[in-house]
Amino acid sequence: MTTELTLFPSLDPTSTPDYNTFMENIEPNHSGNQLVFLKLGGSLITDKLIARSPRRDVINRIVREIANSLHNNPRLQIILGHGSGSFGHISGKKHGTFNGVHTPEEWRGFAEVRYDASLLNRIVLDSLIEAGISALAFPPSASVITQERKIITWDLEPLQSTLRKGLLPVIYGDVVFDTGRGGTILSTEDLFYHLALQFKPERILLAGKDPGVWEDYPDCTSLVKEITPANLPTLQKIIQKSGAPDVTGGMEAKVKKMLQLSEKLPALETVIFSGEDPGRVQSILGGDTTGTILHS
């Protein structure tokens, strides 16, 4: 543990004036454009019960909807994220990577999780390119350092430049090196949280299989319309039961992370919705709020 702590001190972003200057000058909204973060959940784009099983038809259909949205609204900018589903989550659970990486066997597992996450990312990226979207992937494992799962280093200038040039940045749930745990896994929501504080998007859109947070799980006949920090305590048990858990915490972790963010960014709206229905991703990108809304 002590040896690992000595590996990263020079990577603290606060130690470099150039990094601080850049972070202070990030433009929250680029030239009047409408910036949104869109996540494609792992349960939506893969079969989470079968290892390495992409739902290619769903991926291709959603990508076409993203392409249509960008074409119909030239002001729209998207930072796209996706989960790891039956790629990274299955190998991540197998090796316990989320909790820390120390032994040679655990480091081999770390590499396996990274490989699985990158496989799914390539499938998503191929679909984007085939749809005519100029997309660039930003693997967190190649650029993010955390300390007890809190991001302390992430050079965002390449991502910022990608937006400025009219390209589509793509991030995804991935392994990262951690000064305390050796290694761990960050979810797309973890990454969105950090990015949102810098780029200040108008909306965060989380597309999954379910149409929102169920009020009566597992009967699944009624949705929670909105969740705020004020009503979260009364909904806690409901949220804990909603949806299948994964190695990064499932629905409960997702809701808590986004509500924490909304308290820091009061104007932010987060929508949890289903990407299963054809046209729904496009309508949500167009301003629809069908689903469960999270706000301050």
Side-chain angles (χ1 to χ4, degrees):
M1 181 75 72
T2 303
T3 302
E4 289 165 355
L5 285 171
T6 65
L7 294 177
F8 302 105
S10 64
L11 296 178
D12 185 342
T14 60
S15 67
T16 55
D18 289 343
Y19 182 93
N20 290 334
T21 300
F22 169 72
M23 295 302 285
E24 290 170 1
N25 291 324
I26 285 183
E27 303 167 16
N29 257 323
H30 310 272
S31 303
N33 289 327
Q34 177 189 0
L35 177 64
V36 302
F37 293 0
L38 171 64
K39 179 196 175 182
L40 309 182
S43 63
L44 175 65
I45 62 175
T46 74
D47 182 338
K48 293 189 80 170
L49 299 179
I50 304 174
R52 297 179 181 173
S53 55
R55 301 178 72 200
R56 293 178 185 271
D57 56 336
V58 173
I59 294 171
N60 292 336
R61 188 254 303 160
I62 290 175
V63 163
R64 289 193 297 270
E65 294 182 30
I66 292 172
N68 290 339
S69 298
L70 292 169
H71 176 76
N72 294 337
N73 182 4
R75 292 183 58 246
L76 179 63
Q77 288 186 317
I78 299 172
I79 294 180
L80 181 65
H82 65 81
S84 286
S86 63
F87 286 74
H89 281 294
I90 289 180
S91 52
K93 183 176 181 180
K94 171 185 173 184
H95 298 289
T97 307
F98 179 89
N99 295 320
V101 184
H102 304 287
T103 68
E105 182 180 356
E106 289 170 346
W107 281 114
R108 285 191 291 272
F110 180 90
E112 181 182 336
V113 178
R114 190 265 181 268
Y115 176 74
D116 284 345
S118 67
L119 280 179
L120 181 57
N121 178 250
R122 183 53 189 262
I123 292 169
V124 173
L125 206 65
D126 286 347
S127 182
L128 289 163
I129 298 301
E130 289 171 8
I133 299 173
S134 298
L136 272 69
F138 289 85
S141 53
S143 56
V144 175
I145 300 294
T146 60
Q147 185 170 38
E148 290 300 332
R149 306 199 67 257
K150 295 184 183 300
I151 295 173
I152 58 172
T153 299
W154 190 359
D155 182 0
L156 296 179
E157 189 165 6
L159 197 152
Q160 168 84 342
S161 297
T162 299
L163 286 174
R164 283 178 173 157
K165 302 303 181 183
L167 309 176
L168 181 78
V170 183
I171 62 170
Y172 54 94
D174 196 7
V175 296
V176 295
F177 291 97
D178 187 280
T179 63
R181 302 184 183 206
T184 189
I185 297 173
L186 290 185
S187 69
T188 308
E189 286 81 12
D190 292 325
L191 300 166
F192 275 0
Y193 185 96
H194 184 82
L195 290 177
L197 293 175
Q198 310 302 331
F199 290 94
K200 297 179 173 59
E202 293 184 14
R203 307 168 81 208
I204 295 180
L205 311 174
L206 306 179
K209 288 190 73 174
D210 291 325
V213 178
W214 291 111
E215 196 170 47
D216 57 347
Y217 188 88
D219 293 337
C220 301
T221 62
S222 178
L223 289 177
V224 177
K225 298 300 182 184
E226 66 175 359
I227 303 174
T228 68
N231 72 4
L232 177 61
T234 62
L235 297 173
Q236 191 74 43
K237 290 184 179 179
I238 293 172
I239 295 169
Q240 287 175 344
K241 295 177 181 178
S242 295
D246 56 32
V247 295
T248 53
M251 182 64 78
E252 182 181 10
K254 187 196 314 284
V255 168
K256 286 184 175 179
K257 180 70 68 174
M258 292 300 103
L259 284 181
Q260 290 170 6
L261 186 57
S262 70
E263 291 184 303
K264 294 179 180 292
L265 301 174
L268 178 68
E269 175 184 79
T270 298
V271 184
I272 299 175
F273 69 101
S274 172
E276 289 279 34
D277 300 329
R280 182 54 53 80
V281 169
Q282 186 170 340
S283 69
I284 294 289
L285 284 170
D288 186 9
T289 57
T290 301
T292 300
I293 301 173
L294 282 63
H295 60 88
S296 62

